[in-house]
Amino acid sequence: MSTASTQSRSLHRRRGSRQDELQSSRHPSGRQRRTVNEADAYNYALRVAYLSYLLQPRAKRLQHVPAPQAQPQRSATSINDLMKDFTIVRDSKSTRFPHGFVGELQQKITGVLVGKEQRKEYNDPAVKRTFAVFYTAFTEQSFKKRMEKDRRVEDLVLIFFSSATKELQKGKSPTDDSWKLMVDRHVALFVRLISSTLRDHDWVRDRPELTSRLTTLETKLLKHDNDLAASSQRAGGAGGSSVEVEVPRSYEVKDMPLVLVVARLFGVRNTQIQSDIDKYKSEWTEKAALTDLKNYQNLLNLNSRSTLRKDDFDDEEAYEAWKRAEGPDLSQMILAIMQSNPDLAKSAPAGSLPKFNAASGAPSNAADLSASRSRTMSGFSEGSSSYVIEQPLDADGAGTKNGALPDIPEGESPFTFIPPDPRAYFRRILAQALTHDMNDQELQSSEPTADTPAMKLLSKPSTELLNEICVRWRLPSFSRAVLFLDVIKEKFVDQDVSLDTLDMAFTFLKEPLQDVKKTSRAPFLTQLANPSMWTLADLSLNGQILSGLHNALLRDLYELLQHCYEPKPPSIGPIMFILENHIYQDPLFSDSAEEREQFAKQLTEGLRQRALQIYSEYLHKEIPTTQDEWEFYHIMQLGKAVLKLAERIQKRYRKNPEILGVNPVMVLVEVVLPAYAEDARDIIERIIDVARRRQVEISVQEGFDLYRELVEIRRVHGDALAGKPFPFKIEDLLADFVWRWIRMTDEKVIGWVDEAIKQDNFKVRLDHPDQIPTDSQRHSVSIIDVFRSFNQSIDQIAQLNWDDDLAYAKFMTALAKTIGIGLTRYCETIELRFSREMDRMTPEQEAALNQSRQERWVQLARDTWNSKEKIEPFQFFPQSFVKLNNIEFATSQLDALERSVNVDACAEVIQKNTPPVTQRQRKINTFVFTIKIVEAEDLKACDINGASDPYVVLGDEYQKRLAKTRIIYANLNPRWDESVDITTQGPLNIIATIWDWDTLGDHDCVGRTSIKLDPSHFSDYLPREYWLDLDTQGRLLLRVSMEGERDDIQFYFGKAFRTLKRTERDMTRQITDKLSAYINHCLSRSTLRGLLNKGISMASVSSLFSRAQRAQPPPQGPTQADIANALRPLFQYFDDNFAIMKQTLTDAAMVMVMTRLWKEVLITVEGLLVPPLSDKPSQQRQLNQQELDIVFKWLELLFAFFNAVDEETGESDGVPTDVLKSPKYHEIQSLNFFYFDPTDNLIRTSERMASATATRQQQQRNRLSAPGALQSQGAGGAPSFGGAVGLMGVPSTRRSKSIMLSRNLGTIKRAKEEKRKEAQADPSDDMILRILRMRPEAASYLRDRSRQKERLAAAAAAELIVRQSLAGGGGRMTANLPRR
């Protein structure tokens, strides 16, 4: 038991904790418990102890009686007669000793000689002398060889017999034959040694016959003496016998064990106790003890108050069982007294003594009976039958002479050795013994066993004394146990014993000592386990004991639990063990549910008060007294202390969380957490208010740390107090720290991007120079650093686990805007650097700058005359390709970031918690215009070759450059299809200037035009197309759409994605533009004419005149090899440039560049076949069949080149087939069907396709009910051909590439797939109209068809506007916001 448990009881007294009401019961004497003083207890204890001395077996001593002289007799007439059993069968193998036996026997004999033999018969000096003489003869080499050869036992025995005879007859007179018997004894010892040698080496199994004969020989030699070690046979055979003689009693205290115990228990000196015995020994006699038993027996039969009666038991069966057990015990005790003093039997009348019935094993004399009795008086924990003589007795004659005794007056005793109130006297003596033995420092604890611990309650002498008292006073075993427990209870209540002693006391009663016989232990256990056999007084007292102990233990438990929240509280384990194993499991214990509930309420209230006290101590320790000194750190420290306390208490009571219906952890949490939450709220508000008044900002990191701590406490609060809300909303109190952090991030993002670019050398990251870089190493560190910053920004918010979906979604929206700003900055900076690197001059161009104008023309003429066809590949910088890799890597990283943020879920939560449009005033101040520079027509020729190299520059009214397109070489009808986003907050004038790019000198202006971007004109958010006439000649087609700048996470991510994709596309176009000039050169009509005119020279023309009379066959067209060879320079040019790109570009970027080149190829091939779409006839000549076949052959060869199928594996190493077979590719392929059709047929086909398209669009409009769906229709509608309506800007039915459709790679991919499907499902007659432009007779049809398309487009747009104005509302969003 811990010292803390003992000390806790010193805080108060157990006594009087609860007034135990005595249950209605009957006491044997009809009076309350007697108060016994120490002198009376000592007197009666001394009587029993002295009587035990009188009845104990008399001490005896041995007296030697010499034996009469007798002539020794030989067991056989001669040694030959003894050995005849061996000599009958001499050749039997089983009678010979085994090989190796001689050596083992020699070791045995050596052991006898040196004294190593353990058996005492070999330690006689005469035996050792005989064996020594034999050893001398045995170790002779000749004898050993003969023995090892013959292996006969009789030879060994005969030699030993001869040696013994010589040795033992030395010094004997001729008439003395006593030595002859000793010879037989020594030979027998030798034979026994042989037998033991055989047994020790397991030779007995193989030689059973030899073993049998040795045994027979030994028996014959010991015919008259079976004990080889008997003293009567040693020292010459002088024997005799011993007899026991009783020692007279000394009547001295030193010879009285139990009297000495009484003296020690009561602290009486031996002289005093000797005086008391001498004074009363004439009264305290065996006769008085016998009289007591007879009187008790008579009183028992008379149902007197001096013994137990029927009224003392709950039922008659229990009384009869007890009475039946008393009769045999009394008879045997009477018999034991008479056996101890036979004179008492002589004075008793005939037939008055109990008789032994005839039975086997009965004691034959008084000594045996006394010994039997003493053996059974073993301990206090024995059964009720202390005198157990295991034979039946007849006690019929054990009555008194008169047969009846009158009732004894109250307070007097009719007995000499039995006190007036045996229970009270026994209890007093037991208390005295316990007090003495537990304070005895020399008393050792008992040995612990598997079932019982080490105990130190009663010493063995005390136990024997108490047991003797119980037997003499006829106390039942259950009464002894109850009285013992009553004494222990009283001492525990008085704080004289500890919890461990109390536990040992219960264990002492339940687990008797292990050395007690099972026969004497069984009745005691049976009666303890069967309370129905107890007296009512014992039952009542046992209930009072358990109730008293229960109250005392509960009070101790209450006091101990008041310390349960301390760092090192006292253990409650011993108390709980006793309650659960000794109190509650006892069937005689009873308590009401109301009492337990009342205790639980009191304990709960006590723990609540203690928890408040502990929290108050923490509060004063962690929070400064001055409010101006408060910081978030103090709140966090207080929270950590509270959580640490809760975790410690939870761990402490993990195995047993509830203690008698009270959970200390729950009590603590219910008190401390709400108190902390309320204090934390008040302190936070105070700290923020003080900081606001002082105009000091609290660190954002401190706010985040505080939020994490409060969230953890709220989680514990929610787990422990389910159903009880946290006292305040943490997010509302600390949201400003997150917004401050987002604003700080927004201010720093431009600096992050600029610093990352500044520190980057834009090189492939290699571990060593010879390494072939992987795709993951082909982007530089700047984009890694930028996205590391972005991810850290997102993680900073995500790791807060903000428990407000709407606020979290708004945080992510704000961060998305910041990320978009950073990516826009990165793209602008990278694209600017990239453009500078791509627009640098070649060495030839730098040399030309130093030439005069005349020198430039001469050089140009010289190059033209020399037909310089070899074009060197453009010397791309590896850094340029790394920049393109960075943009491609940024796209994939942004897509991963979009998924981790769960953009769609954030948008859904915001939409769910945002009022409908009709319930709020929607005012957009920022607008995003998307201008797509589509194409131009009929431009002015600025070059001497009759063409121009046009590109478009967009600027505002303040001459700020907004965008620039790529250069289209040698084309007066260029098509750019490039887009740019322009953000404005009001109307903006845009000036579009078309320039002619010149290699040498300044660029020439082709023409200018302007357009006003007014958000009020785009309130329907529909795309519009504008044909803008240039100030010189020709016109420019712009497609304009507008979106409101929305505070929407999807919008911000879409805008960032579109910025990346446009940057990627523009950079790719700048790369392909370096190759497009040579593509146009190789896939031109001049190349086509040169291929058809191959082989025609001046000599061949002259021969026509000399051979005019002779018919000539028509010239042959070019062969397949000629057609393929015409593209060989282009393929070689591609290979040279691709080899440079492959060293740096990633596989994805490489495919992207090749895909863009393939589009350039398709546009060039398309330009060879048909003019651009317009409502005016074209001057372009239609190709003949031979030329058309060559062009399609070129297209086939180029398709195979870009597809790059491996001949061995059959897999494509280039651009995938589905990408190569784009809608443009299928349009070109469709020219085969219409190219040479008559004009009338083409017109009819065009009208039929136009009618089918209009019908299909009308059906689609009728099916769709949602205005948003109507906006996506009309993918097959043709562009406007200009005119007055075109100048005003007719709403187009084309799908607008909105930012929302570009918010991640998935939406971009789906948009492209839908565009492909729409192009395949809705065939257009555009190609037919382009063919008709080369037919002068179709000019009127082209004008009519243009007007028709304008009307259809205007009608569709008007209907779309009406549907959009009628639409409103939106579906409800119910999904919760997932986190990263």
Side-chain angles (χ1 to χ4, degrees):
M1 176 179 172
S2 64
T3 56
S5 299
T6 304
Q7 293 171 359
S8 67
R9 292 201 305 277
S10 63
L11 299 176
H12 66 287
R13 294 281 294 177
R14 296 193 190 93
R15 186 177 298 279
S17 62
R18 180 183 297 178
Q19 296 297 329
D20 297 327
E21 297 295 336
L22 181 62
Q23 302 178 4
S24 59
S25 62
R26 287 164 293 186
H27 192 271
S29 61
R31 60 183 182 273
Q32 297 297 327
R33 177 188 301 169
R34 177 192 295 267
T35 301
V36 180
N37 57 40
E38 183 177 350
D40 292 341
Y42 160 74
N43 185 278
Y44 275 95
L46 182 59
R47 297 184 188 195
V48 175
Y50 178 67
L51 178 60
S52 174
Y53 168 73
L54 295 178
L55 298 180
Q56 71 180 0
R58 299 283 185 89
K60 296 182 180 182
R61 63 170 179 263
L62 294 178
Q63 182 174 350
H64 182 71
V65 179
Q69 292 291 334
Q71 293 296 325
Q73 297 181 358
R74 292 295 305 274
S75 60
T77 56
S78 65
I79 190 62
N80 293 328
D81 293 337
L82 295 175
M83 300 300 299
K84 64 182 179 179
D85 292 335
F86 290 91
T87 57
I88 293 176
V89 182
R90 297 180 61 87
D91 297 330
S92 176
K93 180 179 180 181
S94 62
T95 60
R96 297 185 179 182
F97 50 78
H99 293 287
F101 175 79
V102 174
E104 297 297 332
L105 181 61
Q106 183 177 350
Q107 293 182 5
K108 284 279 188 179
I109 297 173
T110 304
V112 172
L113 296 178
V114 298
K116 292 183 178 180
E117 185 62 40
Q118 298 297 326
R119 288 173 290 189
K120 58 184 180 180
E121 56 265 28
Y122 291 98
N123 294 328
D124 192 295
V127 174
K128 290 184 178 181
R129 290 197 305 270
T130 303
F131 273 76
V133 174
F134 170 74
Y135 184 80
T136 302
F138 178 72
T139 54
E140 292 182 0
Q141 292 299 325
S142 58
F143 179 74
K144 287 185 65 175
K145 289 182 179 180
R146 181 165 59 85
M147 292 306 301
E148 289 175 357
K149 178 180 179 182
D150 296 338
R151 292 185 290 121
R152 293 187 299 182
V153 175
E154 55 268 29
D155 294 341
L156 285 174
V157 175
L158 292 175
I159 292 299
F160 186 87
F161 177 80
S162 176
S163 301
T165 301
K166 293 179 181 179
E167 178 61 27
L168 292 176
Q169 69 179 359
K170 289 181 180 179
K172 302 293 183 181
S173 63
T175 59
D176 187 3
D177 294 334
S178 60
W179 60 271
K180 296 181 179 179
L181 188 58
M182 292 299 296
V183 172
D184 292 348
R185 285 177 50 80
H186 288 197
V187 173
L189 288 173
F190 180 70
V191 173
R192 182 173 293 183
L193 191 66
I194 293 174
S195 299
S196 66
T197 304
L198 293 173
R199 286 193 302 270
D200 291 345
H201 294 82
D202 202 19
W203 287 325
V204 175
R205 292 184 302 173
D206 298 336
R207 288 165 174 77
E209 187 175 352
L210 176 60
T211 304
S212 176
R213 294 184 180 183
L214 288 173
T215 304
T216 302
L217 177 59
E218 182 180 349
T219 303
K220 291 180 178 181
L221 291 170
L222 299 177
K223 183 176 181 181
H224 300 288
D225 190 357
N226 291 325
D227 186 2
L228 294 178
S231 60
S232 61
Q233 301 299 327
R234 295 193 296 266
S241 63
S242 298
V243 297
E244 290 185 344
V245 180
E246 287 187 356
V247 179
R249 292 194 182 106
S250 64
Y251 293 100
E252 295 180 1
V253 173
K254 63 181 181 63
D255 297 328
M256 304 176 186
L258 294 186
V259 172
L260 293 176
V261 173
V262 173
R264 186 169 62 254
L265 294 182
F266 288 91
V268 181
R269 292 178 297 179
N270 289 352
T271 56
Q272 179 61 40
I273 205 167
Q274 183 68 57
S275 174
D276 293 338
I277 290 175
D278 294 340
K279 180 179 179 181
Y280 294 106
K281 68 179 180 180
S282 60
E283 299 177 10
W284 300 346
T285 61
E286 296 98 324
K287 183 177 180 180
L290 180 61
T291 302
D292 282 355
L293 291 177
K294 291 180 180 181
N295 291 338
Y296 179 85
Q297 192 174 36
N298 290 332
L299 293 173
L300 178 62
N301 294 331
L302 295 175
N303 199 23
S304 171
R305 288 180 302 173
S306 298
T307 63
L308 294 179
R309 300 180 297 177
K310 292 181 181 180
D311 294 341
D312 296 323
F313 291 88
D314 193 34
D315 54 35
E316 187 175 353
E317 180 182 356
Y319 170 71
E320 293 297 334
W322 169 80
K323 187 175 181 180
R324 284 194 302 269
E326 284 289 281
D329 278 359
L330 293 172
S331 300
Q332 294 187 49
M333 292 173 66
I334 293 172
L335 182 61
I337 293 174
M338 293 183 177
Q339 293 289 347
S340 176
N341 190 350
D343 295 337
L344 294 177
K346 297 178 182 179
S347 63
S352 63
L353 295 178
K355 306 290 193 303
F356 279 105
N357 292 330
S360 60
S364 58
N365 52 42
D368 294 337
L369 180 58
S370 298
S372 175
R373 179 176 64 84
S374 65
R375 284 195 300 269
T376 59
M377 297 172 59
S378 58
F380 175 64
S381 61
E382 287 189 22
S384 61
S385 181
S386 299
Y387 289 90
V388 180
I389 304 175
E390 299 177 356
Q391 50 267 341
L393 293 172
D394 184 5
D396 293 339
T400 60
K401 193 171 184 179
N402 298 327
L405 283 176
D407 287 342
I408 305 302
E410 185 175 352
E412 298 183 4
S413 175
F415 311 109
T416 301
F417 294 96
I418 302 177
D421 189 352
R423 292 169 59 90
Y425 277 79
F426 174 76
R427 187 183 183 282
R428 182 66 179 82
I429 297 172
L430 175 61
Q432 188 75 19
L434 282 171
T435 302
H436 176 273
D437 289 347
M438 286 190 295
N439 294 327
D440 187 1
Q441 299 297 328
E442 298 180 357
L443 179 61
Q444 300 295 326
S445 301
S446 63
E447 291 294 330
T449 63
D451 299 325
T452 59
M455 296 184 185
K456 184 181 179 182
L457 287 175
L458 292 171
S459 63
K460 185 175 181 181
S462 299
T463 303
E464 292 178 353
L465 174 63
L466 293 171
N467 187 69
E468 187 69 20
I469 290 173
C470 290
V471 172
R472 290 297 163 190
W473 296 353
R474 306 311 304 152
L475 288 176
S477 59
F478 46 78
S479 296
R480 310 176 201 176
V482 172
L483 292 173
F484 173 78
L485 194 59
D486 186 32
V487 173
I488 292 293
K489 186 265 294 185
E490 182 180 24
K491 289 184 175 295
F492 180 73
V493 172
D494 292 338
Q495 306 173 19
D496 292 335
V497 297
S498 63
L499 284 171
D500 290 341
T501 305
L502 180 61
D503 177 49
M504 284 191 295
F506 277 106
T507 306
F508 182 74
L509 294 177
K510 294 179 180 180
E511 299 290 340
L513 298 177
Q514 298 297 320
D515 58 350
V516 179
K517 292 183 179 180
K518 293 183 179 180
T519 55
S520 62
R521 168 182 173 179
F524 177 74
L525 293 178
T526 302
Q527 292 181 3
L528 282 183
N530 187 12
S532 63
M533 308 301 291
W534 293 11
T535 64
L536 295 175
D538 289 323
L539 289 172
S540 176
L541 180 58
N542 188 77
Q544 296 175 29
I545 294 170
L546 295 177
S547 179
L549 286 174
H550 182 249
N551 290 336
L553 290 170
L554 289 186
R555 189 169 295 275
D556 281 359
L557 179 63
Y558 181 91
E559 291 296 331
L560 290 180
L561 286 177
Q562 295 305 303
H563 305 276
C564 69
Y565 300 140
E566 296 177 357
K568 294 182 179 180
S571 174
I572 63 172
I575 292 181
M576 295 304 301
F577 179 83
I578 294 175
L579 285 173
E580 293 174 357
N581 293 275
H582 299 317
I583 304 297
Y584 295 142
Q585 290 187 2
D586 197 312
L588 299 180
F589 175 75
S590 62
D591 65 336
S592 62
E594 291 78 8
E595 292 178 349
R596 291 198 180 191
E597 184 177 354
Q598 181 65 23
F599 175 77
K601 289 181 179 179
Q602 295 175 358
L603 179 58
T604 301
E605 184 60 29
L607 291 178
R608 290 179 63 87
Q609 295 299 326
R610 183 56 181 160
L612 282 175
Q613 183 181 355
I614 292 293
Y615 173 71
S616 179
E617 294 174 0
Y618 283 174
L619 185 66
H620 287 87
K621 178 182 178 182
E622 302 295 344
I623 306 298
T625 56
T626 305
Q627 294 184 3
D628 292 344
E629 298 178 0
W630 289 353
E631 296 179 359
F632 284 174
Y633 171 78
H634 300 136
I635 305 175
M636 290 186 288
Q637 290 301 108
L638 179 59
K640 290 178 180 178
V642 168
L643 286 182
K644 185 177 181 181
L645 174 63
E647 291 174 358
R648 186 175 70 244
I649 302 305
Q650 184 180 22
K651 183 178 180 181
R652 182 177 298 164
Y653 297 103
R654 181 177 62 252
K655 295 182 179 180
N656 299 302
E658 284 198 359
I659 302 171
L660 299 181
V662 178
N663 191 325
V665 180
M666 291 300 299
V667 174
L668 176 71
V669 171
E670 290 173 354
V671 172
V672 173
L673 292 187
Y676 170 79
E678 294 174 359
D679 290 341
R681 177 192 57 201
D682 298 340
I683 295 174
I684 292 172
E685 292 175 350
R686 176 64 180 174
I687 292 174
I688 294 176
D689 183 64
V690 170
R692 188 181 298 111
R693 285 191 288 103
R694 294 180 176 178
Q695 296 183 352
V696 177
E697 284 192 348
I698 304 172
S699 170
V700 172
Q701 189 59 44
E702 288 185 13
F704 287 171
D705 294 340
L706 176 61
Y707 178 78
R708 294 188 182 95
E709 189 66 32
L710 291 177
V711 166
E712 178 63 19
I713 293 179
R714 182 172 62 185
R715 181 193 64 79
V716 176
H717 183 280
D719 294 343
L721 307 177
K724 294 184 179 180
F726 199 69
F728 71 99
K729 187 71 177 296
I730 305 174
E731 287 72 19
D732 294 344
L733 206 57
L734 300 178
D736 183 63
F737 290 92
V738 183
W739 288 118
R740 281 176 50 200
W741 184 85
I742 292 175
R743 289 194 296 269
M744 292 166 53
T745 303
D746 189 67
E747 295 170 358
K748 295 177 181 178
V749 66
I750 298 297
W752 292 347
V753 172
D754 292 345
E755 186 64 24
I757 295 175
K758 181 180 179 181
Q759 299 296 330
D760 195 0
N761 55 10
F762 295 99
K763 292 183 179 180
V764 176
R765 296 173 292 111
L766 298 176
D767 297 332
H768 51 83
D770 297 334
Q771 179 187 1
I772 298 176
T774 61
D775 281 0
S776 60
Q777 296 175 317
R778 293 177 184 266
H779 50 268
S780 60
V781 296
S782 62
I783 194 62
I784 297 176
D785 294 340
V786 168
F787 269 93
R788 182 183 295 115
S789 301
F790 292 162
N791 280 286
Q792 289 175 352
S793 302
I794 295 294
D795 291 339
Q796 182 72 16
I797 303 299
Q799 291 173 0
L800 291 175
N801 294 320
W802 200 263
D803 193 18
D804 186 340
D805 287 349
L806 180 60
Y808 177 81
K810 290 180 178 179
F811 296 157
M812 292 296 108
T813 301
L815 282 178
K817 182 178 180 180
T818 301
I819 291 172
I821 293 172
L823 285 177
T824 300
R825 176 74 170 194
Y826 187 84
C827 290
E828 291 175 351
T829 306
I830 292 299
E831 188 175 9
L832 180 61
R833 291 191 177 193
F834 183 85
S835 298
R836 291 174 181 173
E837 295 167 357
M838 299 301 294
D839 294 342
R840 73 185 189 279
M841 292 183 180
T842 62
E844 293 81 3
Q845 292 173 343
E846 292 178 355
L849 287 177
N850 300 323
Q851 295 177 347
S852 64
R853 187 177 183 86
Q854 183 178 1
E855 290 175 341
R856 295 176 189 171
W857 284 109
V858 171
Q859 184 65 37
L860 180 62
R862 186 182 297 115
D863 292 341
T864 304
W865 176 259
N866 294 333
S867 300
K868 185 177 181 180
E869 296 182 356
K870 176 63 175 178
I871 299 180
E872 297 295 332
F874 185 81
Q875 297 299 319
F876 296 101
F877 287 161
Q879 295 89 332
S880 302
F881 291 147
V882 171
K883 293 180 177 66
L884 180 58
N885 292 339
N886 287 356
I887 300 300
E888 185 263 333
F889 177 77
T891 304
S892 63
Q893 289 298 301
L894 184 62
D895 185 66
L897 189 62
E898 191 264 353
R899 291 194 304 271
S900 65
V901 172
N902 205 341
V903 168
D904 293 338
C906 291
E908 185 177 352
V909 169
I910 293 177
Q911 183 177 1
K912 175 183 175 182
N913 292 275
T914 303
V917 179
T918 56
Q919 299 179 14
R920 74 182 193 274
Q921 182 180 3
R922 181 175 180 181
K923 185 177 180 180
I924 300 177
N925 298 322
T926 305
F927 305 90
V928 179
F929 283 94
T930 301
I931 301 177
K932 183 173 184 179
I933 305 172
V934 185
E935 60 180 341
E937 286 186 353
D938 196 20
L939 298 180
K940 179 180 70 173
C942 297
D943 294 337
I944 59 176
N945 58 359
S948 294
D949 303 322
Y951 66 92
V952 181
V953 175
L954 295 183
D956 60 9
E957 54 192 355
Y958 303 104
Q959 298 183 356
K960 179 183 178 181
R961 184 172 176 175
L962 301 178
K964 174 189 173 183
T965 67
R966 73 188 191 281
I967 302 170
I968 306 297
Y969 295 97
N971 199 326
L972 299 179
N973 299 292
R975 189 177 184 90
W976 292 279
D977 285 329
E978 295 187 22
S979 300
V980 61
D981 288 340
I982 299 176
T983 302
T984 180
Q985 295 181 349
L988 179 67
N989 290 321
I990 298 296
I991 299 173
T993 305
I994 302 179
W995 296 88
D996 170 59
W997 181 85
D998 287 331
T999 305
L1000 304 175
D1002 298 331
H1003 299 181
D1004 301 324
C1005 179
V1006 178
R1008 288 185 177 87
T1009 187
S1010 64
I1011 183 174
K1012 184 177 182 179
L1013 302 180
D1014 192 346
S1016 62
H1017 297 164
F1018 292 84
S1019 58
D1020 55 0
Y1021 295 99
L1022 294 176
R1024 286 172 169 77
E1025 293 182 346
Y1026 296 90
W1027 277 105
L1028 305 176
D1029 292 331
L1030 302 177
D1031 57 357
T1032 54
Q1033 76 175 53
R1035 57 182 181 172
L1036 176 66
L1037 177 61
L1038 299 180
R1039 184 174 296 130
V1040 183
S1041 62
M1042 186 192 74
E1043 289 186 81
E1045 181 83 20
R1046 296 188 293 173
D1047 189 20
D1048 183 274
I1049 188 170
Q1050 291 178 326
F1051 179 86
Y1052 292 134
F1053 267 94
K1055 189 175 180 180
F1057 266 107
R1058 191 156 69 170
T1059 300
L1060 287 173
K1061 296 303 291 185
R1062 284 182 177 174
T1063 302
E1064 184 181 66
R1065 180 187 60 202
D1066 293 344
M1067 294 172 69
T1068 304
R1069 280 179 173 172
Q1070 291 188 60
I1071 294 174
T1072 57
D1073 285 348
K1074 299 301 179 182
L1075 311 180
S1076 60
Y1078 196 61
I1079 295 175
N1080 294 328
H1081 170 74
C1082 294
L1083 300 178
S1084 62
R1085 288 190 174 237
S1086 60
T1087 304
L1088 189 62
R1089 288 193 300 270
L1091 182 63
L1092 293 174
N1093 297 332
K1094 187 176 182 180
I1096 299 178
S1097 62
M1098 295 301 296
S1100 61
V1101 173
S1102 301
S1103 64
L1104 292 176
F1105 295 97
S1106 61
R1107 303 174 183 175
Q1109 303 300 326
R1110 191 169 54 179
Q1112 295 294 328
Q1116 298 292 329
T1119 63
Q1120 296 292 328
D1122 294 336
I1123 297 173
N1125 290 333
L1127 295 182
R1128 188 180 301 276
L1130 180 61
F1131 290 159
Q1132 185 61 44
Y1133 183 70
F1134 281 158
D1135 287 339
D1136 293 343
N1137 284 278
F1138 289 168
I1140 297 173
M1141 298 177 188
K1142 191 65 177 176
Q1143 294 176 359
T1144 309
L1145 287 178
T1146 63
D1147 292 342
M1150 189 69 194
V1151 171
M1152 182 171 56
V1153 171
M1154 293 178 66
T1155 302
R1156 182 62 202 171
L1157 280 176
W1158 172 249
K1159 290 182 180 179
E1160 293 290 338
V1161 168
L1162 292 179
I1163 292 173
T1164 304
V1165 170
E1166 184 184 42
L1168 283 175
L1169 297 175
V1170 292
L1173 188 64
S1174 177
D1175 58 347
K1176 300 177 181 179
S1178 174
Q1179 299 299 322
Q1180 183 173 333
R1181 178 184 62 83
Q1182 186 172 349
L1183 301 179
N1184 57 33
Q1185 183 66 52
Q1186 191 176 25
E1187 292 172 335
L1188 185 67
D1189 292 342
I1190 292 174
V1191 171
F1192 276 98
K1193 183 61 178 179
W1194 282 353
L1195 184 62
E1196 179 183 350
L1197 293 173
L1198 288 166
F1199 185 93
F1201 176 81
F1202 278 90
N1203 194 219
V1205 176
D1206 193 332
E1207 296 180 356
E1208 297 181 357
T1209 62
E1211 297 180 357
S1212 175
D1213 295 333
V1215 183
T1217 303
D1218 57 341
V1219 176
L1220 294 175
K1221 292 183 177 181
S1222 61
K1224 178 66 69 177
Y1225 175 82
H1226 288 292
E1227 288 180 356
I1228 295 174
Q1229 291 290 342
S1230 68
L1231 286 174
N1232 269 323
F1233 299 102
F1234 308 110
Y1235 202 74
F1236 295 109
D1237 274 5
T1239 302
D1240 294 341
N1241 290 346
L1242 290 177
I1243 291 175
R1244 285 193 296 272
T1245 303
S1246 175
E1247 290 176 343
R1248 187 169 58 254
M1249 294 177 68
S1251 177
T1253 300
T1255 303
R1256 189 163 50 253
Q1257 292 177 355
Q1258 184 62 39
Q1259 292 175 352
Q1260 185 178 8
R1261 286 195 295 270
N1262 293 337
R1263 287 196 309 268
L1264 298 177
S1265 59
L1270 287 171
Q1271 292 181 18
S1272 63
Q1273 71 173 4
S1280 171
F1281 284 92
V1285 179
L1287 292 175
M1288 294 171 58
V1290 177
S1292 174
T1293 58
R1294 291 178 180 270
R1295 179 186 298 273
S1296 175
K1297 291 184 179 179
S1298 68
I1299 292 177
M1300 301 301 290
L1301 294 178
S1302 305
R1303 62 181 181 270
N1304 55 46
L1305 293 179
T1307 58
I1308 295 174
K1309 184 177 181 181
R1310 286 194 295 271
K1312 289 183 178 180
E1313 189 63 27
E1314 290 177 4
K1315 181 179 179 181
R1316 181 189 299 271
K1317 291 180 180 179
E1318 290 175 358
Q1320 295 175 354
D1322 192 9
S1324 173
D1325 62 340
D1326 288 355
M1327 279 298 179
I1328 296 178
L1329 295 176
R1330 297 172 74 173
I1331 295 174
L1332 290 175
R1333 285 195 65 195
M1334 296 183 293
R1335 310 282 178 91
E1337 62 271 18
S1340 60
Y1341 175 75
L1342 290 174
R1343 288 192 299 271
D1344 295 341
R1345 182 62 197 281
S1346 174
R1347 297 189 186 98
Q1348 179 187 6
K1349 284 197 172 188
E1350 290 174 358
R1351 290 193 300 271
L1352 291 175
E1359 184 177 0
L1360 196 59
I1361 293 173
V1362 173
R1363 289 182 180 273
Q1364 185 178 13
S1365 63
L1366 295 177
R1372 296 182 64 186
M1373 301 297 181
T1374 59
N1376 290 328
L1377 179 62
R1379 301 307 173 102
R1380 296 191 77 191

